[in-house]
Amino acid sequence: MNQDANTPGFVQVGHVERSHGLEGEVKVFFDVDDPQKVEELKLVYLRNERGDFYPARIMDFRVEGKRNKISFFVQFDHVADRTGAEALKSKGIFLETEEAEPFVYAEAETDDSLVDHEVYDGDESIGLVVDVMNNPAHPILVVATTSGSRLIPYIDHFVEDRRDGNIYCQNLDELEGI
């Protein structure tokens, strides 16, 4: 969750990843593991170029599960085509603070439960999660390895799966030299 000091009253609960299709639908990442918490959303807030919040009503919402990943697809009332959807790419999605309570609670649960998980790159163990850094966009895993600490963003692009007390990663070679 992200609560800017400049924006009391709003909490970031996700972001638009990309457009999907020609009718203005967007793929959205929500900082929550339970899709039922997201399915009840009817109104969220986006920010314009000046940083002002404006309401965005959710007209259609669907969840797809594929290879142990959950994807959220949203149709906003003010977006009618792909051009409008493209304009939303990478924009944060916000809720009023009191409405964001289920999301805030879910994040605290996730952060605590990731510590002491063993992290794998493919079949090779690379270390243990010793901390989870809160970042406005997403949590970052601090992994203790034999050669020091390593930071891994907790997003689908790098974290492939989480099961049996282990975290399975992919694409970690992209983080080399950062």
Side-chain angles (χ1 to χ4, degrees), residues 116-178:
D116 292 330
H117 277 57
E118 190 162 2
V119 178
Y120 287 85
D121 185 6
D123 294 332
E124 178 185 345
S125 172
I126 60 170
L128 287 175
V129 176
V130 293
D131 193 15
V132 179
M133 295 170 48
N134 287 323
N135 181 33
H138 49 73
I140 297 176
L141 304 176
V142 180
V143 180
T145 68
T146 55
S147 59
S149 292
R150 186 166 190 183
L151 302 178
I152 302 173
Y154 194 75
I155 59 175
D156 289 344
H157 184 73
F158 297 112
V159 177
E160 182 177 16
D161 195 12
R162 179 179 150 201
R163 66 179 183 280
D164 304 324
N166 300 320
I167 298 173
Y168 298 91
C169 295
Q170 61 187 2
N171 304 318
L172 294 183
D173 55 323
E174 295 175 11
L175 297 174
E176 295 295 325
I178 295 177

Side-chain angles (χ1 to χ4, degrees), residues 62-102:
R62 65 186 171 88
V63 179
E64 284 186 9
K66 186 188 260 187
R67 294 188 297 258
N68 297 328
K69 293 182 185 176
I70 298 173
S71 297
F72 301 98
F73 296 92
V74 175
Q75 176 76 49
F76 292 113
D77 65 344
H78 69 285
V79 180
D81 58 15
R82 185 171 184 93
T83 304
E86 286 289 331
L88 296 178
K89 185 176 180 180
S90 301
K91 288 204 180 256
I93 296 177
F94 299 84
L95 290 176
E96 292 183 76
T97 303
E98 58 272 4
E99 298 291 323
E101 190 65 33

